Amino acid sequence: MTQRFLYLWFPQLAVGRYILNASSPEQRTDLAQSPFATTASDHRGTYLCGVNTLAHKKGLRPTMRLGDARAILPELKTLPNAPEQDKAELLKLAALADQFSPWVALDGPHLTTGEGGLWLDMSGAAHLFGGEEALLETVEQTYAPTVTALHLGMADTALAAWASARFHTGNPRLKEGETLQETQDFPLAALDIPAQTVQNLNRLGLRTLSDLRQLPRANLTTRFGPDLLDRLDRMVGSHAPSLSFLHTDKPYEVIRFFPDPLGSQEIVRDTVVTLLTTLCHDIKEAGFGIRMLGIRFNRVDGHVISFPLKTSAPVQDVSALMRLLDNQLPGVDPGFGIEQIHMRALHSQWVEQTQVTLGNDEEQNADSGALSGLIDHLRQRLGSQAVTYMHPQASHLPERAFTYSSQPSKEHQSFPTLPERPIRLLNKPEPIKIDNSHQNTVPQSFIWRKQRIEAQHISGPERLTREWWHDLKLDFWNARLGMRDYYRIQDQAGRDLWLCCSYAQDNQARWFVHGWFG
């Protein structure tokens, strides 16, 4: 059986990621309809990495210096290159290719060009998709919503497929067994050799692979080294490709078919307990825990009931998972009977083994999973975003001193030492009404939430300046701009309010309630 490789080339991987993951539809439209490029820096300055179609049409190319690009196209929009995010994006595209072949290898992402690609070993599998032509159409339709540009190539060898995606002007599917004939007119760059080597060969009048193959191999080795001939041999399959295929994680799943369909919810629950016990045993033996569990019920009438179950920490205990499932299983209607149950750990995580039984300290021996179990129970009852973790952030402004996340921090973080802060901080400070004559002094009496507040005791101020590095467009030399003075005021009802006085560009004081202490 002849090997067949499918290559997926994403020439705009870096710029396409920015466009497709834009924060708003307006930003996506702006980047898509404007000349746009990603940039990186080296010892010589800033250069272009990936360019979109509009920038390419204007003559901009990867590795071009940003100054030269600005001279050609002053309206060019640029954003910094992010190799780690490009790698994550390419891995997502690789996961999508798993439906076509289990053998997927990465090409890139390449920092200097902002592109990337995937190799798929389709040997003996194209007929499953209706042939190679139908396979190419299916791949294009699958990836159309996820990338801004895609070129395909298919051939007997990995390098020929790579070259076909880039340089073939006709059908990118090279005929089986005719790689040598089909690649005769390919340019020398199809060998994926350094640009300097291509230039040296062009100076000798060699333009295509046909020109190169007519020369004595010994002379080419003497002049250009063994790598050039190695590439020629890889093009036609004389040398095996050196591809590193991705290995997908072992799926932890249990599937059961029932000749006699399950007809009652009690039997369904008992069966779920049995299957979950098997699944937890397998995943515990591997040292992992379940973070997301997927369950699928297939009824005899063709109706499918499925739902995911998320946990805040890796879980290996059947009873802990069943406490969460007991809230979902009553909604599973067996109908005329359930003929199949498919249970799978959609996301698993390594469980760190810790010693908790040394000594007689009750706090040390407490169940470490109790807190995560409570969080899971609350999230299932109140919603996935109802329970969040607070993480410290490097900022002296109250509203920026912390962030919220659905996951706990991977490493211990302590909040910086700051003056006492209110127990309740308002997301949006609420303005108060005071007399204009007391605009620039601490108000003794004001109206807040339609109530008259009489200050009984005032302490402060605590002065906070703006973070000027976040607002570079504002007047840097205006010291009062963005400055805040905080006062702690006790009113006639005994409440401790946190009063804020801020200054805008007109230097007028504005008063707000930003929170309260109790």
Side-chain angles (χ1 to χ4, degrees), residues 227-363:
D227 185 62
L228 182 61
L229 291 182
D230 180 67
R231 292 285 178 175
L232 277 173
D233 294 337
R234 288 188 183 186
M235 179 68 72
V236 295
S238 299
H239 287 181
S242 56
L243 299 179
S244 178
F245 292 102
L246 297 175
H247 296 283
T248 57
D249 296 334
K250 176 185 177 182
Y252 297 98
E253 60 183 350
V254 181
I255 304 176
R256 289 292 185 273
F257 296 90
F258 306 101
D260 297 327
L262 309 181
S264 67
Q265 289 188 343
E266 292 77 10
I267 299 178
V268 170
R269 186 188 185 281
D270 293 341
T271 306
V272 167
V273 172
T274 303
L275 299 181
L276 190 59
T277 302
T278 303
L279 180 63
C280 288
H281 177 269
D282 294 342
I283 202 169
K284 187 175 182 180
E285 287 291 321
F288 289 88
I290 296 176
R291 288 297 306 273
M292 180 184 294
L293 178 69
I295 303 182
R296 181 185 179 97
F297 302 90
N298 292 354
R299 297 196 322 201
V300 294
D301 58 358
H303 186 69
V304 177
I305 304 173
S306 63
F307 56 84
L309 183 70
K310 296 182 180 180
T311 62
S312 59
V315 179
Q316 300 173 331
D317 184 30
V318 177
S319 60
L321 292 172
M322 283 307 302
R323 283 195 295 268
L324 301 176
L325 286 174
D326 282 336
N327 296 324
Q328 302 280 354
L329 291 179
V332 178
D333 182 13
F336 294 103
I338 294 177
E339 61 180 357
Q340 178 189 352
I341 297 180
H342 184 185
M343 187 178 299
R344 179 168 184 168
L346 301 177
H347 177 44
S348 58
Q349 182 179 329
W350 179 260
V351 177
E352 296 290 343
Q353 301 297 331
T354 57
Q355 179 175 302
V356 296
T357 58
L358 182 63
N360 297 321
D361 190 350
E362 295 182 359
E363 293 183 0

Side-chain angles (χ1 to χ4, degrees), residues 44 50 129 200 277 289 347 468 472 474:
R44 296 175 54 195
F129 304 92
N200 294 336
T277 302
H347 177 44
W468 56 267
L472 297 178
L474 300 180

Side-chain angles (χ1 to χ4, degrees), residues 84-142:
E84 294 298 330
Q85 297 181 19
D86 292 343
K87 180 66 175 294
E89 186 71 17
L90 190 58
L91 288 174
K92 291 181 182 179
L93 298 175
L96 196 60
D98 187 58
Q99 60 185 296
F100 303 107
S101 172
W103 303 103
V104 182
L106 299 184
D107 177 24
H110 301 285
L111 172 63
T112 56
T113 58
E115 63 179 29
L118 299 173
W119 275 291
L120 279 67
D121 188 347
M122 300 300 303
S123 304
H127 69 280
L128 300 175
F129 304 92
E132 293 183 349
E133 291 291 349
L135 170 65
L136 297 180
E137 294 180 3
T138 305
V139 171
E140 287 182 344
Q141 295 173 1
T142 302

Side-chain angles (χ1 to χ4, degrees), residues 297-436:
F297 302 90
N298 292 354
R299 297 196 322 201
V300 294
D301 58 358
H303 186 69
V304 177
I305 304 173
S306 63
F307 56 84
L309 183 70
K310 296 182 180 180
T311 62
S312 59
V315 179
Q316 300 173 331
D317 184 30
V318 177
S319 60
L321 292 172
M322 283 307 302
R323 283 195 295 268
L324 301 176
L325 286 174
D326 282 336
N327 296 324
Q328 302 280 354
L329 291 179
V332 178
D333 182 13
F336 294 103
I338 294 177
E339 61 180 357
Q340 178 189 352
I341 297 180
H342 184 185
M343 187 178 299
R344 179 168 184 168
L346 301 177
H347 177 44
S348 58
Q349 182 179 329
W350 179 260
V351 177
E352 296 290 343
Q353 301 297 331
T354 57
Q355 179 175 302
V356 296
T357 58
L358 182 63
N360 297 321
D361 190 350
E362 295 182 359
E363 293 183 0
Q364 186 178 1
N365 296 333
D367 184 9
S368 60
L371 178 60
S372 60
L374 175 61
I375 293 174
D376 295 337
H377 183 75
L378 292 175
R379 284 178 174 173
Q380 195 169 44
R381 288 297 186 92
L382 305 177
S384 59
Q385 301 299 324
V387 182
T388 56
Y389 295 88
M390 182 183 293
H391 304 296
Q393 187 171 257
S395 177
H396 62 273
L397 298 181
E399 66 275 11
R400 293 180 179 175
F402 56 88
T403 58
Y404 291 107
S405 172
S406 60
Q407 300 297 331
S409 176
K410 294 183 179 180
E411 55 185 27
H412 177 71
Q413 293 178 318
S414 58
F415 283 88
T417 303
L418 294 173
E420 186 179 2
R421 292 290 182 254
I423 60 174
R424 173 67 188 275
L425 187 70
L426 297 175
N427 292 330
K428 184 177 181 181
E430 299 178 359
I432 62 175
K433 293 182 179 180
I434 59 175
D435 296 335
N436 293 332

